[in-house]
Amino acid sequence: MKTVLSGIRPTGNLHLGNYYGAMVNFLKMQEEYKCFFFIADWHALTTHPDPKTLNANVRNVLSEYLACGLNPEKATLYVQSDIPEIAELYLLLNMQAYLGELGKTVSFKEKARQNPNNVNAGLLTYPVLMATDILIHNANYVPVGKDQEQHLEMTRNFAKRFNNKYGVNYFNEPTAFASNQQMIKIPGLDGSGKMGKSEGNCIYLIDEPKVIEKKVKGALTDNGPEGENTAKPDCIENLFTILKVVSTQEVVDYYDNLWNTGEQKWYGNLKKQLAEDIIKVTTPIRERINDIKNDEVYLNKVIKIGAEKARESAGKTLREVREIMGFRSL
Ligand code: TRP
């Protein structure tokens, strides 16, 4: 069976874009593949997380993952820093990474520019740590967005170099997960591109209904159609994109028709409907998030079982890599 792996940094809450862009696919994958979903708390160090809240953030993301329906009995759900094998393999893989290529990585250059006083070695080798996450379970598929594709390509290069150097065919060359249906991109409410934390245009899964109503009400719109069958501007198209995901075809057709007739003054109703249908999706998830977040015993159990399963898989890889490299077995 093929292996799928994905990591998320514990910064902030999941929003509608995460849910439809990634989570909905994860839920299908856990039925069909051997899946590893983990919280990349070591990777979070690049943004200097507050020690007082780091652990709470980790548990928060885990609660949200579980509330969305990730099943710890089907997939392996774990916290990166619980797996010391990752740190050791990271050291070994650092020898396969050249300074030149690390320095040219887009994400590194960006972070170095944003934060010129803290261009540390961990930032430079961020792609090696990510490659380690993937290679430690010899994953085949990594469901990532465009912004992570360069890291995935570097992972393939490190894997290839290791294989060549030691004359083995040990590591797979992982590829981006290409599902049959396209990854759905949920736009933001500000008429811009996609919904994203840093864009500040998100509807979060934990948002209360009142908050969602307010956010949708405040979404950018134009003055209405300027005639029959005109093209929709981006801001209106965006509302329809979300409507298509959360509402019925009937509802979408109804508003589409209103647009096409060139009628005015129905955006208020559209927004009301949109908010209502978003709330229908998020309410059960929000309620589960709050239950799980407060169930310390359950969360501890999930974390423990996940760590055990992940360490078993990681330990096997590390033993084999040590042997290939000529270290004695522990
Ligand atoms: N770098 C990823 C991000 O910022 C998170 C991540 C860490 C990851 N390790 C991974 C994603 C391994 C996929 C596979 O979003």
Side-chain angles (χ1 to χ4, degrees):
M1 196 196 282
K2 299 280 191 193
T3 300
V4 170
L5 174 139
S6 176
I8 183 167
R9 278 174 293 124
T11 50
N13 297 303
L14 298 185
H15 52 70
L16 221 53
N18 299 132
Y19 184 71
Y20 285 107
M23 185 52 70
V24 167
N25 287 330
F26 291 177
L27 296 178
K28 277 189 223 134
M29 290 171 194
Q30 72 176 351
E31 306 294 332
E32 295 164 29
Y33 298 94
K34 183 171 181 186
C35 286
F36 293 91
F37 300 117
F38 73 96
I39 299 164
D41 53 350
W42 276 332
H43 276 107
L45 289 174
T46 56
T47 49
H48 188 50
D50 182 350
K52 288 196 203 72
T53 54
L54 176 61
N55 195 244
N57 287 341
V58 168
R59 296 170 82 89
N60 186 48
V61 176
L62 185 64
S63 304
E64 297 199 332
Y65 265 28
L66 292 164
C68 287
L70 286 186
N71 183 340
E73 279 163 29
K74 291 179 179 160
T76 301
L77 306 178
Y78 63 98
V79 180
Q80 185 185 36
S81 64
D82 283 347
I83 320 298
E85 288 81 3
I86 295 174
E88 186 174 340
L89 184 63
Y90 165 63
L91 182 152
L92 300 175
L93 283 180
N94 264 315
M95 314 306 161
Q96 309 306 331
Y98 300 127
L99 180 60
E101 65 188 336
L102 293 173
K104 272 190 285 195
T105 313
V106 173
S107 60
F108 171 73
K109 287 198 295 191
E110 221 173 82
K111 293 225 172 88
R113 192 160 22 83
Q114 288 163 356
N115 221 337
N117 295 323
N118 189 19
V119 186
N120 60 65
L123 200 59
L124 185 71
T125 56
Y126 184 107
V128 186
L129 183 55
M130 179 159 158
T132 307
D133 291 328
I134 298 167
L135 297 176
I136 199 132
H137 302 299
N138 231 337
N140 303 98
Y141 302 122
V142 185
V144 289
K146 272 235 150 26
D147 61 325
Q148 298 295 319
E149 256 172 39
Q150 188 179 28
H151 294 152
L152 199 54
E153 193 186 333
M154 294 170 82
T155 303
R156 286 192 289 274
N157 288 336
F158 303 150
K160 257 187 290 201
R161 257 176 236 155
F162 179 92
N163 288 346
N164 287 341
K165 198 179 277 182
Y166 292 99
V168 291
N169 194 0
Y170 185 72
F171 285 125
N172 296 324
E173 288 176 35
T175 52
F177 190 89
S179 58
N180 300 337
Q181 65 281 31
Q182 262 189 323
M183 280 230 252
I184 300 171
K185 233 196 241 145
I186 299 290
L189 296 173
D190 52 0
S192 72
K194 70 173 195 182
M195 190 175 280
K197 267 193 302 251
S198 37
E199 285 79 4
N201 58 9
C202 295
I203 292 174
Y204 293 99
L205 296 178
I206 47 139
D207 278 348
E208 295 287 335
K210 278 215 165 54
V211 175
I212 294 178
E213 277 162 14
K214 198 169 155 221
K215 284 182 178 174
V216 174
K217 211 168 168 185
L220 185 80
T221 49
D222 65 351
N223 295 325
E226 280 168 12
E228 286 176 31
N229 298 312
T230 56
K232 298 188 189 86
D234 284 348
C235 60
I236 303 302
E237 192 64 57
N238 286 354
L239 295 183
F240 273 86
T241 301
I242 306 178
L243 195 69
K244 275 180 203 147
V245 175
V246 296
S247 298
T248 61
Q249 188 62 46
E250 252 180 302
V251 168
V252 175
D253 290 345
Y254 173 78
Y255 286 103
D256 225 15
N257 193 46
L258 277 181
W259 172 271
N260 284 328
T261 55
E263 214 172 298
Q264 302 273 343
K265 301 219 186 313
W266 45 271
Y267 285 167
N269 288 340
L270 167 68
K271 286 178 169 180
K272 228 185 250 159
Q273 177 82 47
L274 182 58
E276 193 178 297
D277 290 333
I278 291 173
I279 290 165
K280 247 185 237 158
V281 172
T282 56
T283 293
I285 301 175
R286 184 185 72 255
E287 289 171 355
R288 281 197 299 272
I289 293 172
N290 290 327
D291 287 346
I292 294 171
K293 239 196 311 208
N294 293 317
D295 192 343
E296 210 169 308
V297 176
Y298 175 63
L299 272 181
N300 286 344
K301 197 174 111 193
V302 169
I303 289 174
K304 184 162 171 265
I305 291 173
E308 275 166 14
K309 284 202 283 181
R311 288 197 70 183
E312 192 181 315
S313 162
K316 177 175 179 286
T317 305
L318 190 60
R319 275 194 300 281
E320 289 167 355
V321 167
R322 285 178 60 113
E323 190 183 328
I324 290 168
M325 294 180 74
F327 292 100
R328 76 178 163 76
S329 62
L330 284 169

